[in-house]
């Protein structure tokens, strides 16, 4: 009887663990992607310049860069699951603070949102490497697809919530606190039912070793460049489309469509990446899609033509984010090394990405058109291929740790 109860408890724990991972993934993007379609409204309400509005998207990325190397150290002290719970709590506080209609609380809350997400961003790949070492591709597919679904929902629902339900931008952004609150409750349950062995700490990273690894830098720059492209697109695609003659509501829905159409690529890419010796062919495919799609935005066209360009961009961005995350496991030999690589890649990578929305917004402010910003994006897509070819090689960042 005790054996049966033990097996049932283990099964229940495994189910709760998977649900908890998915819920964390649900929270990794909508608090950020919901801002893009509302930037124009927020900018007008708080009288912000374009570069100030871009800062709303860049602040979480700066927080990612700051917190990413610190998160494994916190987890080393308090445990992986408890630190993930802390990340969710910080995220919840940030969403609430950001909904206050003041410039200072907008920036403070946005920073807290970034800090909370950063903790979860860094620790999830290591958690998957440790819990599911033989199923890295599949589990990465599950959580990146979950992340992308809610990212798309964040973009698509923000304007209808703000205008259709007359909630305003504040309550529209605040609504995502409900999802975070549910996730906090589930993680508390998981922590209570797990044993001490299951909540064992991860190891503190040894950053100096990774700094000397060429492969680690290539993974880092690939992650940074794909993040640059993603967050620039999230922040400015509705405005780019509005400049091309489409309504801001249409721009918001096209941004949502871009993320939904990316879901098959997001799900399939890690599975494919885990089955081939190197991922260089996948990198080339991603680059070609991105260059073609952004070149199409530069050329312009009717709504149906724009659907084509945005479809290509969505597939490229969906593949690149999931590939960058699965590379954290594939290029490492164990969960400790995966945590080290995750901390480095997300710290330096998101620091690079953080300049994206600000710099592209600044270029637009200077040029008063979107041609030069889009050409800049296309050049960076070429760089994505270059560093991705290095990151996609069948090599570990370091030899196995003892």
């Amino acid at each position: 009887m005790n054996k049966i109860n033990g097996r049932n408890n283990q099964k229940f724990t495994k189910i709760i663990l998977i649900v908890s991972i998915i819920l964390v993934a649900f929270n990794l993007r909508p608090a950020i992607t919901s801002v893009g379609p509302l930037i124009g409204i927020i900018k007008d309400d708080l009288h912000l310049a374009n570069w100030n509005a871009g800062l709303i998207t860049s602040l979480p990325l700066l927080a990612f860069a700051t917190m990413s190397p610190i998160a494994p150290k916190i987890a080393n002290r308090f445990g992986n699951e408890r630190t993930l719970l802390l990340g969710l709590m910080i995220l919840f506080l940030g969403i609430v603070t950001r909904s206050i209609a003041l410039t200072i609380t907008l920036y403070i809350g946005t920073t807290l949102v970034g800090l909370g997400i950063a903790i979860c961003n860094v620790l999830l790949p290591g958690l998957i490497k440790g819990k599911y070492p033989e199923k890295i591709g599949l589990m990465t597919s599950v959580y990146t697809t979950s992340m992308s679904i809610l990212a798309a929902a964040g973009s698509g629902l923000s304007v209808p919530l703000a205008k259709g339900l007359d909630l305003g931008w504040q309550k529209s952004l605040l609504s995502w606190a409900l999802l975070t609150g549910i996730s906090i409750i589930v993680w508390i349950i998981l922590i209570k039912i797990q044993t001490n062995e299951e909540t064992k700490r991860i190891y503190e990273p040894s950053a100096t070793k990774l700094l000397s690894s060429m492969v680690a830098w290539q993974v880092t720059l690939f992650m940074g460049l794909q993040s640059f492209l993603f967050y620039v697109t999230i922040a400015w695609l509705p405005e780019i489309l509005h400049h091309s003659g489409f309504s801001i509501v249409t721009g918001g829905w096209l941004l949502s469509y871009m993320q939904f159409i990316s879901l098959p690529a997001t799900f399939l890419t890690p599975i494919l990446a885990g089955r081939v010796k190197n991922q260089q062919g996948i990198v080339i495919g991603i680059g070609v899609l991105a260059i073609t799609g952004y070149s199409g935005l530069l050329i312009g066209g009717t709504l149906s033509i724009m659907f084509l360009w945005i479809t290509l961009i969505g597939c490229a961005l969906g593949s690149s984010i999931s590939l960058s995350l699965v590379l954290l496991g594939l290029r490492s030999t164990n969960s400790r090394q995966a945590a080290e690589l995750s901390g480095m890649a997300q710290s330096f990578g998101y620091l690079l990405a953080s300049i994206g929305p600000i710099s592209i917004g600044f270029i637009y402010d200077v040029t008063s058109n979107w041609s030069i910003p889009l050409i800049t994006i296309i050049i960076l897509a070429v760089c994505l291929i270059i560093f991705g070819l290095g990151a996609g090689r069948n090599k570990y960042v370091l030899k196995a740790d003892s």
Side-chain angles (χ1 to χ4, degrees):
M1 190 68 165
N2 289 333
K3 289 183 179 180
I4 294 175
N5 290 334
R7 285 195 296 269
N8 289 336
N9 289 336
Q10 289 180 350
K11 185 176 180 180
F12 179 70
T13 300
K14 290 179 179 179
I15 292 172
I16 291 295
L17 176 61
I18 292 174
V19 171
S20 299
I21 289 172
I22 292 173
L23 283 173
V24 169
F26 280 167
N27 283 276
L28 293 181
R29 291 294 180 269
I32 297 175
T33 60
S34 58
V35 174
L38 297 174
I39 277 186
I41 300 173
I42 296 172
K43 183 176 66 175
D44 293 340
D45 189 28
L46 299 180
H47 308 290
L48 303 176
N50 280 316
W51 76 268
N52 290 119
L55 190 60
I56 300 171
T57 304
S58 292
L59 275 175
L61 306 183
L62 290 170
F64 290 175
T66 302
M67 179 57 72
S68 292
I70 300 173
K73 297 181 180 181
I74 300 174
N76 189 51
R77 181 177 177 86
F78 297 105
N80 209 357
E81 284 83 348
R82 288 180 176 82
T83 307
L84 280 163
L85 175 61
L86 173 64
L88 289 171
M89 290 178 172
I90 294 173
L91 173 58
F92 182 86
L93 178 62
I95 293 173
V96 173
T97 303
R98 186 177 62 178
S99 67
I100 301 172
L102 298 172
T103 302
I104 185 64
T105 52
L106 175 67
Y107 288 154
I108 291 174
T110 298
T111 301
L112 290 174
V113 164
L115 293 174
I117 292 175
I119 292 174
C120 300
N121 269 339
V122 170
L123 297 184
L124 264 186
L127 180 71
I128 288 174
K129 179 75 174 182
K131 299 288 187 181
Y132 307 98
E134 305 300 323
K135 298 179 180 179
I136 295 174
L138 176 61
M139 290 305 299
T140 302
S141 292
V142 169
Y143 100 77
T144 55
T145 304
S146 301
M147 176 180 70
S148 297
I149 290 172
L150 267 293
S155 297
L157 293 175
S158 57
V159 172
L161 287 172
K163 290 188 172 181
L165 296 182
D166 200 27
L167 296 179
W169 67 264
Q170 301 98 319
K171 291 180 181 178
S172 177
L173 295 181
L174 179 62
S175 63
W176 296 104
L178 177 61
L179 175 62
T180 309
I182 294 172
S183 304
I184 289 171
I185 294 171
V186 174
W187 270 90
I188 291 173
I189 295 172
L190 175 67
I191 290 171
K192 286 188 175 182
I193 64 175
Q194 282 193 324
T195 64
N196 291 332
E197 176 63 20
E198 289 168 330
T199 58
K200 65 183 179 182
R201 69 182 188 179
I202 65 170
Y203 294 95
E204 186 174 346
S206 177
T208 54
K209 291 182 180 180
L210 286 180
L211 291 175
S212 64
S213 169
M214 181 63 71
V215 176
W217 278 109
Q218 289 165 336
V219 171
T220 295
L221 290 170
F222 180 78
M223 172 166 279
L225 287 170
Q226 68 82 22
S227 296
F228 186 107
L229 295 176
F230 176 80
Y231 286 105
V232 163
T233 306
I234 291 298
W236 295 118
L237 181 60
E239 293 292 326
I240 292 171
L241 293 171
H242 186 55
H243 185 80
S244 297
F246 301 98
S247 71
I248 197 67
V249 175
T250 299
W253 279 112
L254 285 173
L255 179 60
S256 180
Y257 164 78
M258 181 198 78
Q259 293 170 88
F260 275 116
I261 202 65
S262 74
L263 293 180
T266 301
F267 181 79
L268 293 173
T269 298
I271 296 175
L272 177 60
R275 293 180 178 178
V276 296
K277 289 185 177 181
N278 70 67
Q279 294 74 40
Q280 293 175 320
I282 300 174
V283 169
I284 293 172
I286 289 171
V288 170
L289 290 174
I291 292 169
T292 305
Y294 288 114
S295 297
L297 286 185
L298 181 62
I299 296 170
T302 63
L303 181 60
S304 60
I305 294 297
M306 285 297 187
F307 263 106
L308 173 60
W309 305 139
I310 291 171
T311 298
L312 296 179
I313 293 171
C315 291
L317 295 180
S319 292
S320 63
I321 179 59
S322 59
L323 179 61
S324 67
L325 291 170
V326 79
L327 285 175
L328 299 176
L330 294 177
R331 297 286 85 89
S332 56
T333 57
N334 52 47
S335 60
R336 173 184 177 181
Q337 206 173 85
E340 294 174 1
L341 182 58
S342 180
M344 174 181 172
Q346 300 202 48
S347 177
F348 287 98
Y350 283 122
L351 182 61
L352 174 61
S354 68
I355 68 174
I358 295 177
S359 60
I360 295 301
F362 177 76
I363 294 172
Y364 175 74
D365 283 337
V366 172
T367 62
S368 297
N369 70 76
W370 285 104
S371 296
I372 302 301
L374 283 169
I375 290 172
T376 303
I377 291 171
I378 293 167
I379 293 171
L380 290 173
V382 175
C383 295
L384 181 74
I385 297 175
I386 295 172
F387 291 111
L389 289 174
R393 293 176 297 163
N394 186 24
K395 290 187 176 182
Y396 292 122
V397 291
L398 294 171
K399 293 182 179 180
D401 297 308
S402 57

